[in-house]
Amino acid sequence: MKAKRSILNLVFGLGSQLITIVLSIFIPRLIMINYGSEANGLVSSVVQIIAYLALLEAGVGAASLQALYKPIAQNNRESVNSILSATAMYYKKTGFYYLLSVIAIAAIYPFAVKSELGMWQVMGIVLFNGLGGAINYYYQGKFRVYLQAEGKSYVDTSVVTIGNIINNLVRIVLLLQSVDIVLVQASYFAVTLLQMVAFHIYKNRHYKWLDFNKEPDLAAINQKNFVLVHELSYMIFRNTDVLVLTFFTNLKIVSVYVMYNMIFTIIDNIVNTVNTSVRFALGHSYHEGRAKFIKLYDAYELYFMAFVFSLMTVAYILILPFITLYTSGVNDVDYVLYWIPVLFVVQKLLINARSSANNVINIAGHFKNTLTRTLLESGINLAASLILVQFLGIYGVLLGTVAALLYRSTDIILYANRRLLERSPWITFRRWLTNIAVFIGIIYLNNLVGYSFDSYLSVILGAFVLGIIILPVYIAVASILEREVFMHSLSLFRGLGVKMRAKFVPGKVKVSG
């Protein structure tokens, strides 16, 4: 069952990302052409600010997720309802603060940033970006946490994907008509409300036994405040760069950053989809036996890291040709900056390739134990970014984030291996060094070929061809160097194949896959 759900999560998740990429990639360009780079920078900065409000959910969401793995693995519905009842209490309490925060930001932000857009336009953009999330947070947040813990992220993904399709299509039509930018953002609010209705219908049809009014198990989520600090650190890495650039440079520079970040955010989402697709299986396995968990973890870390490096390699090769094409005709600021892709790739590798080790810390619930480490990471990022932006501008904020990530990624690997897996961290560091060597080798060979990507078609075909070449290279190198992990991974896939055949061959007894 866990393998089947992992596959469904992965298929639906990657399908969602593909659809979202195809639709959403047109929107920033349409905004730049119709409203200018400043409007694009403003909308992006507002989205980043509103994203900070997700911190209200971050602590209890992750703490509840970790607490739910064990009772779900044991099919203990009473415990599940008690944990979710505690979660619901927190969501109700903070949902009101979420709403007030959106209103406060809408009132203050027009006076805090210089923009050619009118005050009421800026206020409307903030409100419509934030109100939908606030309402959805209050009513459906706890149910979406349960879906993730049970391994049914594909349900969440399906609802969000349909919403994104509707939202992006409506926005594209409105942008082509050059309607007021506030009405464009209002479409997001309307679709978010529709998503809330869809989750409510699904819950009533398939989970009538869920009861958010049981005696709350507050002890199960007592680490929510520690989790909140960890999530704050992550949010800083996702959003601080834009905010620092907004207040210490100008919105055109923000637009430049956003253009590169748009591509790497797409890759982040793909990586996160893969990670969340199997995270619940790791969480359940952690409570079913140490030896089994470590074997599963090694297989996951080895090939997940290869997957991350392969995506970043393709992105590094194609990012400048794409940016050149995408921003053609936009002349109010220079978008083609040759060192930006290097810093983005380093940053994203440090964030994403450490995810497997970070999963172990989260699953084990060691949020309090690693609190000071997270605070130090945040301090390094903020201090370095604020200082370096004064001298290096956009390069400074990226270098500030890289500096913090170098510390924290190393620390996460050391902690997960020594404290939780009780083994040498060299196992993980060796995988890093191997993938870095492969990355350098591929980039060197690509520079020798020197192929020119001068059209969208060549970029799309190039991404496809490079992907089917580069990913197998990383996987092959990893498999050759770690044959024991490769053989265990092979046995997992063979076992899955046997289960699936037993389920679908006529006359056979059905076996859950």
Side-chain angles (χ1 to χ4, degrees):
M1 182 64 71
K2 285 185 288 187
K4 179 181 178 181
R5 288 181 180 176
S6 293
I7 292 173
L8 286 173
N9 290 337
L10 185 60
V11 171
F12 277 78
L14 293 179
S16 170
Q17 293 303 321
L18 179 61
I19 293 170
T20 302
I21 290 168
V22 172
L23 291 174
S24 65
I25 205 166
F26 296 103
I27 292 175
R29 177 169 173 81
L30 289 173
I31 292 176
M32 287 189 296
I33 291 175
N34 290 286
Y35 307 95
S37 293
E38 184 179 289
N40 185 50
L42 175 66
V43 171
S44 299
S45 65
V46 168
V47 170
Q48 300 300 325
I49 290 173
I50 295 298
Y52 273 105
L53 297 181
L55 288 172
L56 291 168
E57 177 184 15
V60 70
S64 298
L65 196 62
Q66 184 268 334
L68 284 167
Y69 286 139
K70 186 175 182 179
I72 289 176
Q74 297 173 344
N75 197 29
N76 187 341
R77 289 186 173 183
E78 182 177 351
S79 180
V80 167
N81 278 327
S82 295
I83 293 171
L84 288 176
S85 294
T87 305
M89 288 179 60
Y90 186 85
Y91 272 87
K92 289 179 181 178
K93 179 180 178 181
T94 57
F96 179 68
Y97 298 130
Y98 195 135
L99 179 61
L100 287 182
S101 298
V102 171
I103 296 172
I105 293 170
I108 296 171
Y109 195 66
F111 301 99
V113 64
K114 296 178 181 179
S115 174
E116 296 176 0
L117 293 174
M119 182 183 70
W120 292 106
Q121 285 181 301
V122 176
M123 188 178 296
I125 289 172
V126 175
L127 283 174
F128 285 124
N129 268 287
L131 287 178
I135 295 172
N136 208 349
Y137 168 89
Y138 183 90
Y139 286 104
Q140 298 300 333
K142 64 267 187 187
F143 178 60
R144 296 178 72 177
V145 168
Y146 172 76
L147 288 176
Q148 292 180 50
E150 195 187 19
K152 289 190 175 182
S153 295
Y154 60 88
V155 175
D156 190 356
T157 300
S158 299
V159 174
V160 173
T161 300
I162 294 171
N164 284 338
I165 292 173
I166 297 172
N167 178 43
N168 284 311
L169 288 176
V170 171
R171 294 179 73 189
I172 288 171
V173 171
L174 293 176
L175 286 168
L176 289 173
Q177 300 298 319
S178 298
V179 302
D180 192 291
I181 189 68
V182 177
L183 292 178
V184 176
Q185 298 307 114
S187 65
Y188 169 76
F189 171 70
V191 172
T192 303
L193 296 181
L194 292 176
Q195 290 177 347
M196 183 188 71
V197 174
F199 280 118
H200 180 74
I201 293 173
Y202 184 84
K203 178 174 70 68
N204 287 343
R205 286 186 178 179
H206 299 279
Y207 292 96
K208 292 181 179 180
W209 59 270
L210 282 179
D211 187 351
F212 302 133
N213 297 305
K214 293 288 186 179
E215 183 68 25
D217 185 0
L218 297 176
I221 59 172
N222 62 0
Q223 291 204 68
K224 63 181 182 297
N225 292 329
F226 301 116
V227 179
L228 178 62
V229 178
H230 284 273
E231 294 296 325
L232 174 61
S233 176
Y234 179 68
M235 291 294 290
I236 285 173
F237 287 119
R238 288 186 64 89
N239 304 303
T240 294
D241 289 355
V242 169
L243 296 181
V244 171
L245 289 173
T246 298
F247 293 108
F248 290 93
T249 59
N250 58 69
L251 291 176
K252 290 182 180 180
I253 298 299
V254 173
S255 183
V256 173
Y257 178 94
V258 167
M259 282 299 96
Y260 287 90
N261 193 53
M262 175 183 71
I263 302 302
F264 286 101
T265 297
I266 290 171
I267 298 173
D268 279 345
N269 291 337
I270 293 172
V271 170
N272 188 57
T273 297
V274 175
N275 190 35
T276 55
S277 295
V278 298
R279 184 192 297 158
F280 83 98
L282 288 169
H284 295 179
S285 177
Y286 185 81
H287 297 285
E288 294 172 351
R290 176 179 176 79
K292 178 181 178 181
F293 172 75
I294 290 180
K295 287 184 177 180
L296 179 63
Y297 172 80
D298 272 331
Y300 179 63
E301 180 178 74
L302 181 66
Y303 294 111
F304 179 76
M305 196 178 294
F307 174 69
V308 170
F309 268 84
S310 64
L311 286 181
M312 292 302 168
T313 306
V314 175
Y316 179 77
I317 293 171
L318 295 176
I319 185 69
L320 283 180
F322 175 80
I323 290 293
T324 302
L325 290 167
Y326 194 80
T327 60
S328 63
V330 182
N331 302 314
D332 52 358
V333 65
D334 185 11
Y335 283 89
V336 182
L337 303 171
Y338 292 94
W339 283 102
I340 295 297
V342 176
L343 294 174
F344 260 108
V345 166
V346 172
Q347 181 188 122
K348 296 303 181 179
L349 284 174
L350 288 169
I351 291 175
N352 291 314
R354 75 183 189 184
S355 295
S356 50
N358 200 42
N359 281 340
V360 180
I361 296 174
N362 293 339
I363 291 169
H366 280 224
F367 304 113
K368 181 179 179 179
N369 308 56
T370 55
L371 184 61
T372 55
R373 294 167 162 87
T374 296
L375 291 173
L376 181 56
E377 177 187 33
S378 301
I380 294 172
N381 185 29
L382 281 171
S385 296
L386 288 171
I387 293 171
L388 293 175
V389 73
Q390 309 294 334
F391 306 99
L392 300 173
I394 190 172
Y395 298 100
V397 295
L398 287 168
L399 285 169
T401 302
V402 168
L405 285 169
L406 282 171
Y407 155 71
R408 182 61 176 145
S409 296
T410 302
D411 179 69
I412 285 174
I413 293 169
L414 291 173
Y415 189 94
N417 281 278
R418 288 176 176 172
R419 295 285 298 276
L420 299 174
L421 300 177
E422 298 178 357
R423 67 183 189 182
S424 170
W426 171 245
I427 296 172
T428 298
F429 284 128
R430 185 181 63 223
R431 291 166 182 165
W432 271 88
L433 293 174
T434 299
N435 284 297
I436 290 172
V438 175
F439 180 93
I440 294 172
I442 292 174
I443 297 302
Y444 175 76
L445 292 175
N446 177 74
N447 290 337
L448 291 180
V449 174
Y451 183 80
S452 177
F453 300 95
D454 52 7
S455 68
Y456 285 115
L457 180 60
S458 66
V459 170
I460 294 171
L461 292 177
F464 177 75
V465 173
L466 287 171
I468 62 175
I469 294 174
I470 291 173
L471 178 57
V473 170
Y474 278 102
I475 291 176
V477 172
S479 301
I480 291 170
L481 294 179
E482 300 199 40
R483 183 171 176 79
E484 184 177 344
V485 178
F486 166 70
M487 295 305 295
H488 177 68
S489 303
L490 198 60
S491 68
L492 291 176
F493 280 104
R494 285 174 177 168
L496 176 60
V498 169
K499 289 181 180 181
M500 295 301 286
R501 284 195 299 272
K503 183 170 183 177
F504 292 108
V505 172
K508 297 287 185 179
V509 177
K510 287 190 176 182
V511 180
S512 296

